[in-house]
Amino acid sequence: MNNRVFVNEFIELGLKSFFQKDSNNPLERHIVECLCDVYGTDCIKSIYDTHDEGSFTSTLFKYGLSRTNYDNFLRDTIKYEKFRKENAKDPALKSDIASKIEVHLIIMFLHKCLLIEPTLEEIGHFENNLLNNFEIIKLHFNTSINPNRTRDIWNKKKRMLEDNVELVEIKPDYLDEFTYAKFGTSLKDVKQMDYRMVEELNCYIKSKMQLDVTKEPEKSKLDLKSLKRNTVLSTGNGFVDALFIAAIMATEVSIGLIYLFLHMK
């Protein structure tokens, strides 16, 4: 039999404790339980039975989890095993590393919600497993710097689901790079704008091209009074400059907020 550790010590212990239903390794078992909520118990069980590390990795990437998030998840599980051994020697030692691992699970769950709309039952089940395991509550109380850290972060991110935020990425239709260059900007910069600003910019460019108007941007009939233009950054086109400023403001309520929200801890 192959005695090689599967993925790392934390994952190996968690899978073994969860599927063999033993009471050892409470945090590791708890994290695997939450992984099952996100990716399905049958899927995780199959990975455990086959010890297929490639399948483990591809499963965690299934809903669009970034490589950075994946690497940080494994990094923090390794850090926890080191902390657990140190804490056994010095019970006064505290760390929020357990919460950091749980937050990775929150990120995974929200990534899934970007693609598959969750039911209230699914949200409640994940929340219950994440927050209401008495062993884990006790573990946080004894070893965490901030025992309520995971709960606080979940409550903030959960509002995305409760408020029925549109979690579907809206991809605007971009013009070609040469056309944007003619109007003093670049396709790369436009892709950083809010989709509504992209649509407005495209409409402006198309109208200018159709009318073949060559007047100065300041004489444009478009009303830009509500947009500030006193910035040292300039594309050379007043309307485009105004859109970039508006895009920065609109980002707070755009899909960019969702991705930022997913990666904040």
Side-chain angles (χ1 to χ4, degrees):
M1 181 175 177
N2 188 357
N3 292 320
R4 182 171 61 89
V5 172
F6 181 68
V7 182
N8 63 36
E9 183 182 6
F10 184 103
I11 301 299
E12 174 81 21
L13 292 172
L15 289 168
K16 182 178 179 181
S17 292
F18 181 76
F19 288 112
Q20 293 187 5
K21 296 180 171 40
D22 65 45
S23 59
N24 300 319
N25 314 301
L27 183 73
E28 293 89 339
R29 188 176 72 250
H30 162 67
I31 294 301
V32 168
E33 181 179 39
C34 291
L35 280 174
C36 289
D37 274 337
V38 179
Y39 299 104
T41 301
D42 290 343
C43 177
I44 301 299
K45 179 65 162 58
S46 176
I47 292 170
Y48 170 69
D49 289 339
T50 60
H51 265 53
D52 185 347
E53 291 192 6
S55 181
F56 177 83
T57 300
S58 61
T59 295
L60 265 61
F61 286 151
K62 181 177 179 179
Y63 300 118
L65 188 73
S66 72
R67 168 60 69 172
T68 298
N69 285 141
Y70 174 79
D71 290 343
N72 289 345
F73 169 66
L74 294 187
R75 176 203 65 195
D76 288 339
T77 57
I78 293 170
K79 284 185 176 180
Y80 176 78
E81 292 305 322
K82 180 180 178 181
F83 167 74
R84 186 168 78 152
K85 293 177 178 64
E86 292 172 346
N87 177 261
K89 297 176 183 178
D90 180 8
L93 188 65
K94 293 183 181 292
S95 170
D96 281 331
I97 190 63
S99 172
K100 290 181 180 180
I101 298 171
E102 289 176 323
V103 171
H104 290 305
L105 270 295
I106 295 175
I107 291 171
M108 293 175 193
F109 183 74
L110 290 177
H111 269 289
K112 180 180 180 179
C113 294
L114 283 169
L115 300 178
I116 303 173
E117 184 177 355
T119 64
L120 291 177
E121 181 181 1
E122 288 170 334
I123 296 172
H125 194 273
F126 176 77
E127 179 180 63
N128 184 62
N129 284 340
L130 179 72
L131 302 178
N132 298 328
N133 183 317
F134 179 73
E135 282 187 286
I136 304 305
I137 293 173
K138 185 170 66 173
L139 182 147
H140 279 303
F141 181 79
N142 291 330
T143 67
S144 296
I145 297 170
N146 178 5
N148 292 317
R149 183 176 182 273
T150 300
R151 186 177 299 274
D152 291 342
I153 292 175
W154 167 251
N155 286 337
K156 290 177 182 178
K157 294 182 183 287
K158 182 184 173 184
R159 294 193 191 108
M160 294 171 59
L161 306 176
E162 290 180 333
D163 295 341
N164 295 317
V165 174
E166 183 67 34
L167 294 178
V168 178
E169 181 181 6
I170 301 176
K171 296 183 178 180
D173 293 324
Y174 296 107
L175 303 180
D176 63 88
E177 190 166 1
F178 177 74
T179 299
Y180 286 127
K182 285 175 59 178
F183 284 82
T185 186
S186 68
L187 180 59
K188 179 181 177 181
D189 289 336
V190 173
K191 285 184 176 181
Q192 297 178 24
M193 297 171 64
D194 176 83
Y195 76 93
R196 289 158 294 188
M197 297 299 104
V198 174
E199 291 174 357
E200 190 172 349
L201 174 61
N202 288 349
C203 288
Y204 169 75
I205 290 176
K206 289 176 182 178
S207 66
K208 296 290 282 185
M209 293 176 68
Q210 289 173 356
L211 296 173
D212 195 24
V213 177
T214 58
K215 33 173 136 172
E216 293 294 326
E218 297 88 53
K219 297 179 182 179
S220 172
K221 294 181 180 180
L222 291 171
D223 182 11
L224 303 178
K225 292 181 181 180
S226 63
L227 299 177
K228 297 181 180 179
R229 297 172 56 186
N230 56 331
T231 174
V232 296
L233 298 175
S234 176
T235 64
N237 185 306
F239 182 69
V240 176
D241 287 346
L243 279 174
F244 273 123
I245 296 168
I248 293 172
M249 298 166 62
T251 298
E252 293 299 322
V253 291
S254 70
I255 196 66
L257 176 60
I258 295 176
Y259 288 106
L260 175 64
F261 206 46
L262 286 172
H263 291 81
M264 289 178 63
K265 299 178 184 178

